[in-house]
Amino acid sequence: MRTSLLACSAMFLFPFLCGTASAADATAPNIVFIISDDQAWTDYGFMDHPLIQTPRLDELAARSALFTRGYVPTALCRPSLATMITGLYSHQHKISGNDPSVTLAAPASAEYAELRRQLIGHIDRQPTVPKLLAQRGYLSHQSGKWWEGPYQRGGFTHGMTRGFPEPGGRHGDDGLAIGRQGLQPVVDFVDHAVREAKPFFLWYAPFLPHTPHNPPERLLAKYRDRVDSLHVAKYYAMCEWFDETCGELMDLIEAKGLTDKTLFVYVGDNGWIQDPQSSNYALRSKQSPNEAGTRQPIMLSWPGVIPPGRRDEVVSSIDLAPTMLSAAGAPVPDNLPGLDLMPVVRDGQPLARDTIFGEGFAHDIADLETPEASLLYRWAIEGRWKLLLTYDGVLGRYASSHPRTERRPQLYDLVADPHETTNLAAQHPEIVARLAGKIDAWWPVRQRQVQTVWSE
């Protein structure tokens, strides 16, 4: 199976890797895409966290167009990453969860292995960012988190992950060493791209600050006595460890004299799984459609091209694929729903949108071709308002993460109440109706909403 899988990937990539791609424009930037793993939107120095120190990311933020109200449409790593690499929502690329449901086949069976192959096969249908950049002469490198088989399946010319069906390929196997064990594979790739005089795309998605929370003692010592929970202290130290690795990457680009020729893009995949002793553990963290699951600061840095500054527009990781492709002069597929942010951050044009959308699905996918089967939430944000609707999709093994105790529409004023403590749906039925209409126009679904009207 490994032979046929790689052969299939090689056939798909053959036109890109054998010289048929057009030469890159000399002005095309290198692109460094940094993706944090399980980190809350509040947990940075530049986001005013009172304890966590992130000096290198603070430095990047200071030279970036920093969208403090950035979001990911889906608060789970695999679908979130698939959205970043394809520019499509989960209901479009159909990678809506981390794994096929174990109710479909026994996990150790050949039938389940085939379901995993089918799930990975969804990436083959999409013109991913690396595939499209290859048409502009870009080399590309994958490191860190990557679920969709070997790196070649995503269109990367270079990479670390061997991928399913190789052992340990679920999260990214060999790629997960990046950051925790240094950056040498990335250093080698950058050296290669410089020798070849080719622009490059770096996917840097280290397994940080994700568990295992095993930070160096020199960092843990900074937080151990400043919080009541060792669990939290370790997480805080992991955030700083991740920050250090980002600084190493920034220093590498600077040492090569490439900073002014490089677009840095930053986002996290989703929030972190909070302390199990916290009352907010199940509802307000990773996998959640609430702010702690979906809100993520987004940064775009390109010295001399993108003026730095904090921005209050609401943007989404769905916008990153068209933005990166546009910056590179690569083709942007017509079906991408996100916005090219380059005219906004480079040229000062207003954002041509007033609403963003998101969706939440069960961790395990009940039907590989029908995302609605696992649909739990849809949401929309319009300015200060957020509407969250709940659905009765099949939950599977992770039911405790989605109690769905509030079955009615939830409306929050995110400016006055950024942590969503007060549901205002009963007081503003007209806003609920308007945003529900926008959600239905964005993605019409046939599945039953848990409760469609507000009633006491």
Side-chain angles (χ1 to χ4, degrees):
M1 179 57 66
R2 172 177 167 81
T3 300
S4 61
L5 183 68
L6 294 179
C8 175
S9 301
M11 289 177 63
F12 188 92
L13 291 170
F14 187 81
F16 298 149
L17 303 182
C18 295
T20 60
S22 61
D25 190 305
T27 63
N30 306 305
I31 301 174
V32 175
F33 193 9
I34 301 175
I35 307 169
S36 174
D37 193 348
D38 286 14
Q39 185 166 0
W41 65 275
T42 53
D43 295 349
Y44 304 87
F46 65 85
M47 295 298 288
D48 300 321
H49 194 280
L51 294 179
I52 297 174
Q53 298 180 27
T54 55
R56 301 310 306 273
L57 288 172
D58 296 350
E59 176 187 331
L60 182 63
R63 73 184 203 207
S64 296
L66 167 60
F67 293 93
T68 60
R69 295 189 67 195
Y71 288 83
V72 292
T74 307
L76 182 63
C77 53
R78 185 173 188 172
S80 183
L81 296 174
T83 287
M84 294 175 196
I85 205 70
T86 64
L88 298 172
Y89 290 107
S90 295
H91 72 265
Q92 295 175 310
H93 58 61
K94 297 186 178 181
I95 303 168
S96 63
N98 279 0
D99 300 291
S101 173
V102 296
T103 64
L104 301 176
S109 67
E111 291 80 6
Y112 193 77
E114 178 57 29
L115 291 172
R116 294 182 67 187
R117 293 187 186 95
Q118 291 176 22
L119 179 56
I120 290 171
H122 287 314
I123 203 69
D124 298 332
R125 309 177 191 178
Q126 308 303 336
T128 64
V129 169
K131 293 173 186 175
L132 294 165
L133 289 176
Q135 298 182 38
R136 294 285 291 149
Y138 276 70
L139 301 179
S140 54
H141 186 273
Q142 170 272 328
S143 67
K145 265 292 191 63
W146 179 254
W147 292 72
E148 312 312 324
Y151 64 85
Q152 296 95 331
R153 293 289 283 268
F156 294 95
T157 61
H158 300 73
M160 297 177 65
T161 292
R162 295 172 289 112
F164 180 81
E166 292 295 309
R170 183 172 176 271
H171 285 88
D173 54 74
D174 295 349
L176 301 184
I178 205 68
R180 290 176 184 260
Q181 299 179 30
L183 298 182
Q184 195 59 49
V186 171
V187 173
D188 294 341
F189 169 75
V190 171
D191 286 342
H192 172 71
V194 169
R195 286 195 303 269
E196 295 291 318
K198 294 287 187 69
F200 58 82
F201 172 72
L202 277 177
W203 171 275
Y204 181 64
F207 210 40
L208 294 165
H210 195 288
T211 53
H213 289 165
N214 55 352
E217 176 58 31
R218 61 181 173 80
L219 295 178
L220 179 58
K222 298 173 65 172
Y223 300 100
R224 189 191 303 272
D225 297 327
R226 302 189 70 185
V227 293
D228 294 334
S229 166
L230 181 61
H231 170 90
V232 174
K234 288 182 177 180
Y235 165 73
Y236 285 5
M238 293 297 294
C239 292
E240 187 168 348
W241 192 14
F242 167 63
D243 178 80
E244 287 185 350
T245 75
C246 293
E248 292 174 26
L249 181 54
M250 293 161 61
D251 290 344
L252 168 64
I253 300 302
E254 178 65 23
K256 299 296 180 183
L258 298 174
T259 299
D260 290 346
K261 302 176 183 178
T262 300
L263 169 64
F264 277 82
V265 180
Y266 181 89
V267 71
D269 65 348
N270 49 247
W272 75 294
I273 299 177
Q274 299 172 37
D275 186 343
Q277 301 305 312
S278 167
S279 62
N280 287 331
Y281 170 63
L283 183 61
R284 309 275 181 167
S285 61
K286 180 178 179 177
Q287 296 194 51
S288 166
N290 294 102
E291 297 288 278
T294 59
R295 185 170 172 179
Q296 291 289 330
I298 288 176
M299 291 188 266
L300 301 172
S301 172
W302 187 356
V305 177
I306 297 177
R310 296 173 76 95
R311 309 185 66 108
D312 59 7
E313 298 101 325
V314 179
V315 298
S316 169
S317 65
I318 202 76
D319 302 323
L320 297 181
T323 299
M324 292 186 291
L325 293 170
S326 170
V332 180
D334 292 337
N335 69 327
L336 296 192
L339 293 182
D340 171 12
L341 297 177
M342 288 303 296
V344 177
V345 297
R346 180 190 58 208
D347 307 326
Q349 295 183 15
L351 189 69
R353 177 186 61 207
D354 65 0
T355 308
I356 66 166
F357 302 96
E359 54 200 348
F361 301 87
H363 179 283
D364 292 354
I365 304 171
D367 187 320
L368 300 187
E369 294 294 335
T370 309
E372 288 179 53
S374 306
L375 178 64
L376 307 180
Y377 312 102
R378 292 190 299 168
W379 54 264
I381 296 174
E382 175 195 81
R384 68 191 304 136
W385 297 108
K386 176 177 181 179
L387 179 66
L388 172 60
L389 304 178
T390 304
Y391 295 83
D392 59 356
V394 177
L395 272 170
R397 294 177 291 173
Y398 294 86
S400 62
S401 297
H402 304 282
R404 293 186 283 190
T405 52
E406 176 55 271
R407 302 171 68 85
R408 299 167 296 187
Q410 299 172 59
L411 180 71
Y412 300 105
D413 179 347
L414 297 179
V415 174
D417 181 23
H419 298 290
E420 300 162 296
T421 60
T422 304
N423 184 358
L424 300 175
Q427 292 93 313
H428 299 284
E430 74 288 352
I431 298 176
V432 172
R434 183 178 73 248
L435 291 181
K438 286 189 173 185
I439 290 172
D440 285 337
W442 161 62
W443 176 32
V445 300
R446 296 180 299 276
Q447 195 209 120
R448 183 179 68 86
Q449 188 178 327
V450 170
Q451 187 160 328
T452 58
V453 296
W454 182 272
S455 61
E456 295 298 340

